Amino acid sequence: QVQLVESGGGLVQPGGSLRLSCAASGHTFSNYDMGWFRQAPGKEREFAAGINWSGRNIYYADSVKGRFIISRDNAKNTVYLQMNSLKPEDTAVYYCAADPSGTWTKRWDYWGQGTQVTVSS
């Protein structure tokens, strides 16, 4: 069982930056692929960024590519999402998720509670 806790959300002006963190419990974090998802009001949850267990393979949605950076620190059981050049359309609840397969099956078995990001002037 893995518990995920996101932090770092808030209100930011367009063009600004935020860094989200997702802290995981358990000693098997380093075996898990991790992802960041987001859900805007009235929309379905969508994939934003993902990183495999080793950090060697990274994936981004086209909508965030070039602006967001996902990274992980296995020694700290934490995955990060650095968000730059934020736009109002990035406003959403951001969730981290864990895929315990370690083979990028996208079997997101574990989810955090989410953190709100609001981009507005």
Side-chain angles (χ1 to χ4, degrees):
Q1 190 74 14
V2 174
Q3 291 188 331
L4 305 173
V5 179
E6 302 97 335
S7 61
L11 173 65
V12 63
Q13 292 186 343
S17 298
L18 280 176
R19 188 176 82 154
L20 305 183
S21 299
C22 173
S25 64
H27 62 279
T28 54
F29 172 80
S30 60
N31 296 336
Y32 291 1
D33 299 330
M34 299 296 296
W36 284 98
F37 293 75
R38 64 186 186 180
Q39 187 167 19
K43 296 187 177 181
E44 292 187 353
R45 186 163 54 192
E46 65 175 6
F47 173 82
I51 186 167
N52 82 320
W53 65 272
S54 69
R56 292 179 182 173
N57 298 324
I58 290 176
Y59 310 89
Y60 295 104
D62 288 344
S63 57
V64 308
K65 198 173 295 182
R67 300 186 298 121
F68 290 11
I69 300 171
I70 188 171
S71 62
R72 67 190 296 160
D73 186 337
N74 287 344
K76 295 182 178 180
N77 281 12
T78 302
V79 62
Y80 304 97
L81 186 67
Q82 177 67 43
M83 305 186 296
N84 302 317
S85 302
L86 282 161
K87 305 174 181 180
E89 51 264 42
D90 294 317
T91 295
V93 178
Y94 283 72
Y95 300 90
C96 72
D99 170 3
S101 73
T103 56
W104 203 253
T105 61
K106 302 179 186 179
R107 194 187 82 202
W108 305 106
D109 285 351
Y110 303 106
W111 292 84
Q113 83 289 348
T115 185
Q116 176 71 46
V117 172
T118 302
V119 184
S120 175
S121 54

